[in-house]
Amino acid sequence: MSASLDQVGKHLQDWGFPQLVPIFKGEYCVSAIVPSDITSILNASSLSKSVLENYDADKGLTYQGRVIVVHTVTDYLLNLSKEVKNCHFLTVSTKIKSVFPRESVGSYYIAPDPPSKPKSSGKLVNRYRNLKDRLYNLNAGSSPSTSRPATVDQGNDPYLQIAAGTGKLFDEFDAEKSKAAEEWLKTQNQPWPKVLESWSITAPHRLRVLITESNKCKVRGRKKGRKVTDEIEPKKVMAEYLAKWPILNHASGYQLFMQDFNIFYPDSENGLFMNWKSFENKVIALAHEQVRDVAGLNFLSMLQDNPTDDTRALVTCMLLPSVCQPSMVITPPKSSKCKPWKVSVLESREGFILHVTAFAALKDVLKNRDLKYKNYGLRTQPFIVVVGGTPSTITDYYVSISPRLYKVHNCLEALDACFKSIFALHAEYPEESEQLWLLIRRCVYKITCSYDNTSLQSFYDCYPRLV
């Protein structure tokens, strides 16, 4: 047995775990799982000690309490060894449940299930591996922000290909036809099939200009863990693009964004409708395990009233911020007098889906929202608006792409149109709901990117349970 395994075995015994024994060549694990108390480890940290002291057995762990427990345990394990095995994670997860009975072992450790899931996952496993990766990269001299391996080869990035004028999109590009289609679109908006055709003809040049201009912008680093600077504010590329193409003012203009999305990710065109039901069920199941905030519990209670498919989809979306809570702190520009903005669950939800009870109130709400964004040096990104008294009595759905509102028919159409518009415009996710859009992209549309934000721990905690 290696020294590192001897060491972790000794300390696991100190926690009350049984002695390590070989289970096959090169692998050692505990001989049995015997309930034991790990409160001594949790009491060693002031934060996790506070969690223990304030634990309510009837309500269970809060989201923040669960995060603190995971951080304390994984920090301890990594200090012991970089060779902690699946059997150790399983045992430790069981010990956590013995201290916090309402917790699920599956929240902390999920066994591998080859071939579809060759690696284990869960909160303990994911954070342990993330810390291990960061430690490796720090020792190798690279930045912590790049510690997570890229999920997609940048050479296959559709945006880079289009910016370079390469790929299938440019194989039959005709500059004269593109210019003629552009001129037609400036004055015509029907018949709609011809609009869609003309929009497609303009795509190579139009998207290349959009991406190139977007890439020229120096975007301030605002997210936690990134360097914050007061660079020159980026050009209002999206506003200029919307102004240049008046056809986007059409009530069905969002369909043009959806058509462009299919150029970037043709295999994900039907991702929402193929994968939503499975994702929805997993979110609701995880919500029953984890949600403790009042709003989240209220949304869960609505599912007991046999809701329509549309209401169920909306409630699932509203539950997401309670399941995958925000952790970002948005730092204002130096010129601003605002304090750093620690995003709340409510603010994350409103950044994802803004709910107003009456359309007449929307103008003032959007005005206040834009003002706050301005104070923090942010740009308004696409988001969803719903109008109605409660999730079961929604009358209207919109996709907001400032300053335009596109009316759609239901929740899933709004989600699909908003998500695809973000990619078609080469825009960004709203900062306060970034972790939610990242979940939807990875779990529903099955799109991975090389530039994933590695600081969103809540995403990496939830992702293995929802994928």
Side-chain angles (χ1 to χ4, degrees):
M1 184 186 300
S2 69
S4 59
L5 281 173
D6 282 334
Q7 185 182 29
V8 74
K10 178 181 181 302
H11 284 272
L12 285 172
Q13 289 178 58
D14 291 341
W15 285 16
F17 296 171
Q19 186 176 6
L20 292 176
V21 296
I23 54 175
F24 54 84
K25 185 177 181 180
E27 178 81 17
Y28 286 77
C29 205
V30 292
S31 59
I33 298 177
V34 179
S36 182
D37 189 352
I38 63 168
T39 53
S40 59
I41 302 302
L42 299 176
N43 276 321
S45 161
S46 59
L47 285 176
S48 53
K49 181 179 180 180
S50 177
V51 172
L52 279 173
E53 292 173 347
N54 294 286
Y55 176 64
D56 186 328
D58 292 328
K59 295 182 178 179
L61 278 176
T62 64
Y63 172 83
Q64 190 60 40
R66 189 176 296 108
V67 170
I68 291 171
V69 169
V70 170
H71 283 211
T72 300
V73 173
T74 49
D75 287 348
Y76 188 84
L77 286 174
L78 190 63
N79 284 333
L80 298 182
S81 174
K82 297 181 182 63
E83 300 296 334
V84 177
K85 304 295 183 182
N86 286 339
C87 52
H88 303 139
F89 287 120
L90 174 60
T91 306
V92 173
S93 300
T94 304
K95 307 307 175 184
I96 292 174
K97 179 173 174 59
S98 72
V99 178
F100 306 106
R102 289 180 62 89
E103 291 299 284
S104 165
V105 171
S107 293
Y108 298 89
Y109 172 76
I110 302 173
D113 185 17
S116 61
K117 193 177 73 171
K119 290 186 177 181
S120 59
S121 57
K123 295 181 185 298
L124 284 179
V125 181
N126 294 339
R127 186 168 191 272
Y128 179 86
R129 287 177 181 155
N130 292 343
L131 287 175
K132 186 176 173 181
D133 287 346
R134 292 177 186 176
L135 183 62
Y136 173 83
N137 281 283
L138 282 171
N139 291 338
S142 61
S143 167
S145 64
T146 61
S147 61
R148 186 172 298 279
T151 54
V152 168
D153 182 357
Q154 291 192 11
N156 294 324
D157 189 315
Y159 294 99
L160 295 180
Q161 290 183 354
I162 291 175
T166 60
K168 292 190 295 184
L169 184 63
F170 291 86
D171 287 349
E172 298 181 3
F173 174 62
D174 186 316
E176 291 186 3
K177 286 185 177 180
S178 177
K179 185 63 177 176
E182 178 179 343
E183 293 301 319
W184 186 87
L185 287 169
K186 286 180 179 179
T187 59
Q188 306 296 318
N189 61 15
Q190 57 181 341
W192 194 247
K194 185 172 181 179
V195 170
L196 294 174
E197 180 186 1
S198 299
W199 188 252
S200 178
I201 292 172
T202 66
H205 177 69
R206 174 173 49 79
L207 293 177
R208 186 179 187 186
V209 171
L210 172 64
I211 294 169
T212 301
E213 290 300 310
S214 297
N215 290 340
K216 287 179 181 178
C217 297
K218 295 183 178 180
V219 180
R220 291 178 63 249
R222 307 181 188 93
K223 302 177 182 64
K224 185 177 181 181
R226 298 186 187 179
K227 183 179 179 181
V228 177
T229 61
D230 276 328
E231 299 284 357
I232 298 174
E233 280 298 312
K235 296 178 180 179
K236 297 180 179 179
V237 175
M238 183 162 40
E240 293 175 356
Y241 179 75
L242 295 173
K244 181 177 180 180
W245 297 93
I247 188 61
L248 294 173
N249 289 318
H250 192 279
S252 299
Y254 68 92
Q255 295 179 12
L256 303 178
F257 297 132
M258 298 175 80
Q259 181 171 288
D260 282 347
F261 172 87
N262 297 338
I263 294 173
F264 295 113
Y265 298 105
D267 295 338
S268 298
E269 177 180 2
N270 297 314
L272 180 69
F273 303 101
M274 292 175 63
N275 303 314
W276 174 258
K277 185 54 67 175
S278 172
F279 178 72
E280 180 182 78
N281 291 336
K282 291 175 183 177
V283 171
I284 293 172
L286 191 57
H288 280 293
E289 289 183 24
Q290 297 188 356
V291 170
R292 297 291 181 268
D293 64 288
V294 175
L297 292 173
N298 285 338
F299 287 124
L300 270 178
S301 69
M302 296 177 188
L303 297 174
Q304 300 174 5
D305 300 328
N306 193 25
T308 64
D309 288 345
D310 189 51
T311 299
R312 184 180 172 90
L314 178 58
V315 169
T316 301
C317 290
M318 294 295 200
L319 278 170
L320 268 180
S322 297
V323 172
C324 186
Q325 297 193 1
S327 59
M328 63 283 289
V329 177
I330 300 173
T331 306
K334 292 179 181 179
S335 57
S336 173
K337 296 181 180 180
C338 296
K339 296 179 180 180
W341 174 15
K342 189 178 187 310
V343 178
S344 68
V345 172
L346 174 61
E347 289 166 333
S348 185
R349 183 176 291 117
E350 290 180 341
F352 179 44
I353 299 180
L354 178 62
H355 178 201
V356 294
T357 56
F359 187 81
L362 185 58
K363 182 177 180 181
D364 288 339
V365 173
L366 294 180
K367 182 179 179 181
N368 292 334
R369 182 191 186 100
D370 290 344
L371 179 60
K372 182 171 185 177
Y373 277 24
K374 183 178 180 180
N375 289 336
Y376 280 90
L378 304 176
R379 292 174 293 168
T380 301
Q381 305 295 344
F383 63 97
I384 298 167
V385 177
V386 297
V387 181
T390 66
S392 61
T393 59
I394 295 300
T395 57
D396 297 300
Y397 289 91
Y398 297 92
V399 175
S400 175
I401 302 177
S402 185
R404 294 162 177 78
L405 281 175
Y406 297 102
K407 188 173 183 178
V408 295
H409 298 94
N410 54 51
C411 179
L412 290 186
E413 187 178 9
L415 187 65
D416 199 41
C418 188
F419 177 83
K420 291 178 178 179
S421 295
I422 292 171
F423 280 83
L425 287 165
H426 199 39
E428 300 173 354
Y429 303 129
E431 300 243 1
E432 65 270 40
S433 58
E434 181 178 8
Q435 83 282 8
L436 310 180
W437 286 113
L438 189 55
L439 272 178
I440 290 168
R441 173 164 66 76
R442 294 281 291 272
C443 299
V444 178
Y445 289 90
K446 310 298 183 183
I447 297 173
T448 56
C449 297
S450 59
Y451 43 79
D452 285 353
N453 183 358
T454 61
S455 68
L456 297 173
Q457 184 60 42
S458 60
F459 162 77
Y460 291 107
D461 287 341
C462 293
Y463 173 69
R465 301 289 304 278
L466 299 178
V467 68

